[in-house]
Amino acid sequence: MTQWQKSSFSSGSDGTNCVELALSPSRILLRESDDPARILPVTRHGAAALIRHLGGYACEPKSCVQ
């Protein structure tokens, strides 16, 4: 069974609007909690690149700006 982890930023009224991740033997699995059937498998390098890219954004409750 896949164990999904929600972001620590996903709480309160936005608890259902978040990105979740799980580990598989060869990939990191990403999904949105409001569409759990759509799963994006990425490599560890791909996930690290995504996190580095998103690290340049300051997110507010309804939008993200760089």
Side-chain angles (χ1 to χ4, degrees), residues 9-58:
F9 291 101
S10 300
S11 61
S13 62
D14 278 347
T16 58
N17 295 324
C18 65
V19 174
E20 301 174 331
L21 66 89
L23 296 177
S24 77
S26 62
R27 302 274 191 232
I28 295 175
L29 308 175
L30 302 173
R31 72 179 185 183
E32 288 192 50
S33 57
D34 62 346
D35 189 6
R38 182 180 286 175
I39 297 171
L40 176 65
V42 296
T43 64
R44 292 176 188 267
H45 293 291
L50 176 65
I51 291 168
R52 278 193 306 274
H53 176 74
L54 295 177
Y57 289 81

Side-chain angles (χ1 to χ4, degrees), residues 54 57-66:
L54 295 177
Y57 289 81
C59 292
E60 298 300 325
K62 296 295 177 188
S63 65
C64 290
V65 295
Q66 188 172 26

